[in-house]
Amino acid sequence: MITKDITIGELLRENPQTAPILMASGMHCLGCPSAQAESIGEAAMVHGIDADALVEQINRFLEATNPETENK
């Protein structure tokens, strides 16, 4: 399960298919070096996004695409 403490870089390394979700939420700087070290919670705050809602959306997506795999 993904939490808002995971860094953007770690999320994208482990689950690159989540990039469109982040982009659609307004996080267009995914390749930026500073974004790679920011947590989802920090990035959400900077972009004015509800971190809990974003994490929930990412976890629902990961569960739907990998139902038999436990997400990190």
Side-chain angles (χ1 to χ4, degrees):
M1 176 173 283
I2 299 300
T3 69
K4 59 185 172 184
D5 296 322
I6 190 171
T7 65
I8 299 293
E10 186 178 0
L11 174 65
L12 293 174
R13 280 190 299 280
E14 293 179 12
N15 303 285
Q17 71 276 26
T18 61
I21 295 171
L22 298 174
M23 297 283 287
S25 70
M27 294 183 189
H28 298 262
C29 54
L30 300 179
C32 173
S34 62
Q36 295 294 304
E38 274 187 323
S39 70
I40 291 176
E42 293 166 334
M45 182 179 62
V46 168
H47 289 88
I49 300 165
D50 181 339
D52 293 321
L54 179 58
V55 167
E56 184 179 325
Q57 182 181 9
I58 291 169
N59 281 321
R60 279 194 319 262
F61 171 79
L62 292 173
E63 188 176 301
T65 57
N66 289 319
E68 69 281 342
T69 305
E70 183 177 322
N71 300 311
K72 296 181 181 180

